[in-house]
Amino acid sequence: MQRLRFPMALVFLQVFTPKSSAFVGTGGGGVWFNGRGGSTTETRSSYPQDPNGNREYTALQAWRSAMTDDPYGILASWLGPDVCFYRGVFCSYAPEVPIFASFRVVSGIDLNHANLEGSLVKELALLDHLSFLHLNSNRFSGTVPDSFRELHYLSELDLSNNRFSGPFPTSTLLIPNLIYLDLRFNSFSGEVPDELFVKDLDAIFLNNNQFGGQIPMTLWASPASVITLANNQFSGSIPFNFGYMSSRIREVLFLNNKLTGCIPEGVGYLTDVEVLDLSFNSLAGHLPSSLSCLSEVEVLNIAHNQFSGELPELVCDLRSLANLTVAYNFFSGFSLDCARLFFRNVWFDFSGNCIPGSDMQRPPPECMGIPGGGLSCLRIPSTRPLACAGSMGQRDGMNRVPYTFPSLP
């Protein structure tokens, strides 16, 4: 199955604003045949009928009964036995049946931005061939039914920007072919299960909920290219076990939580990461030299923490850097290489630190007692060595000294 690829800027933006896309199917019932949108003016009886169509009709009518408000009249078309002409419902030929004998089945539902109010019902599991369920920007509440584990064809589940609550919906982890999970902008709470990050997901969006507790140690085992945990209540340290991590990760957004401790040395294993945002936490200590391994990072934001010491030169030398934000920490200085970032057209915000002779810094009394200044960031050895050369290669006629991660004896 081809994996999804998400544009960096789009993912970064959607952490801060509720997902809002145009409602699909506004021209009437959506009908797909071999992946192409069919006209809703086709004669309904001209297509083979699903012998299990009563199950789909039962599922959608049960769901319709659980809707309490439909301001746009979306459900007015949800009448009659031919569910393929329901607005927002998409059909295609059953994949397991030869094309000459195939019949239509419900393969997708897209009710994005429909502003529907109601809840999910267990009968939705009767939609045996459902491959995507897009419900962002509605007013659905309650929980995700346990029966969702029976949706064996489901690969995309988008419940973002609703009113769902309760603990993490563990039934989603039992959907065998799910690769995209979006729970943003809801009121889910409690701890996130370890199993989330070992499931074969390509995107994990949990931001803007009320999840808390420690981030599971399985985090870096995830094959996802995007992991957003921003704007929650996660606490404790960032997991340090990078030894078994995937190399596909592109965006890591942990901003606005309650994380403490140091940045793990193993962050250098994120060699393909493009966005790393750890801002608005309580992280402290000195930055690890392994940050120099992030040769593809474009956005590095560690603002509003308690980091101290000098900003490492190798961080400022990162070759792909477009935005470096270290504002409102307790850094005491930076090298000439960092000062040159302006000439590379790199956005560099170092305001609110303790850098002598620079504008927009903290008042001197605030720099006397640095929070977390006594924190020892003893680097925990990783499970395997990784060497990376300085990201700028040769510069000023001198070779960068490669950074080698420590390994266990």
Side-chain angles (χ1 to χ4, degrees), residues 122-363:
K122 63 181 181 180
E123 287 84 358
L124 286 170
L126 297 174
L127 302 175
D128 299 322
H129 297 88
L130 193 69
S131 64
F132 65 87
L133 181 59
H134 296 168
L135 301 179
N136 84 65
S137 301
N138 284 282
R139 290 175 289 150
F140 291 113
S141 59
T143 60
V144 179
D146 289 340
S147 61
F148 267 44
R149 69 184 67 188
E150 301 170 20
L151 295 172
H152 296 288
Y153 280 96
L154 190 66
S155 62
E156 299 179 21
L157 179 60
D158 184 353
L159 304 179
S160 61
N161 197 23
N162 279 282
R163 299 175 179 175
F164 292 108
S165 60
F168 184 93
T170 54
S171 59
T172 60
L173 302 179
L174 301 175
I175 302 173
N177 290 302
L178 193 68
I179 62 172
Y180 178 93
L181 178 62
D182 193 342
L183 303 179
R184 287 176 287 182
F185 295 97
N186 281 287
S187 297
F188 291 112
S189 58
E191 296 187 351
V192 172
D194 294 353
E195 293 80 5
L196 171 65
F197 298 108
V198 296
K199 186 170 176 59
D200 193 19
L201 295 171
D202 194 71
I204 301 172
F205 295 102
L206 302 185
N207 56 276
N208 296 81
N209 278 281
Q210 299 172 23
F211 290 119
Q214 292 196 327
I215 300 175
M217 292 292 286
T218 54
L219 169 69
W220 303 117
S222 175
S225 62
V226 179
I227 300 177
T228 68
L229 308 182
N231 302 317
N232 279 286
Q233 300 176 26
F234 290 107
S235 59
S237 302
I238 299 174
F240 60 83
N241 56 331
F242 289 79
Y244 300 98
M245 66 170 295
S246 164
S247 62
R248 286 201 299 259
I249 193 162
R250 296 294 187 271
E251 286 98 21
V252 177
L253 288 88
F254 293 170
L255 64 149
N256 197 25
N257 280 283
K258 300 178 180 179
L259 299 175
T260 56
C262 304
I263 295 180
E265 194 84 34
V267 71
Y269 282 114
L270 304 175
T271 53
D272 292 325
V273 74
E274 297 170 3
V275 176
L276 178 60
D277 194 333
L278 307 176
S279 61
F280 290 93
N281 282 285
S282 296
L283 299 169
H286 293 191
L287 299 182
S289 298
S290 59
L291 286 173
S292 65
C293 298
L294 306 184
S295 58
E296 302 301 320
V297 71
E298 298 177 25
V299 177
L300 177 58
N301 190 345
I302 57 171
H304 292 271
N305 280 285
Q306 300 171 11
F307 296 114
S308 58
E310 286 206 359
L311 185 63
E313 174 183 345
L314 289 177
V315 173
C316 296
D317 279 348
L318 291 168
R319 68 186 183 193
S320 300
L321 203 59
N323 185 318
L324 175 60
T325 304
V326 300
Y328 292 93
N329 282 283
F330 292 87
F331 289 113
S332 57
F334 55 78
S335 69
L336 183 59
D337 285 2
C338 296
R340 289 172 176 166
L341 288 173
F342 298 104
F343 300 103
R344 290 172 49 195
N345 293 321
V346 175
W347 174 265
F348 180 35
D349 184 358
F350 59 92
S351 60
N353 279 281
C354 300
I355 302 174
S358 297
D359 296 331
M360 297 185 296
Q361 299 298 295
R362 293 180 182 273

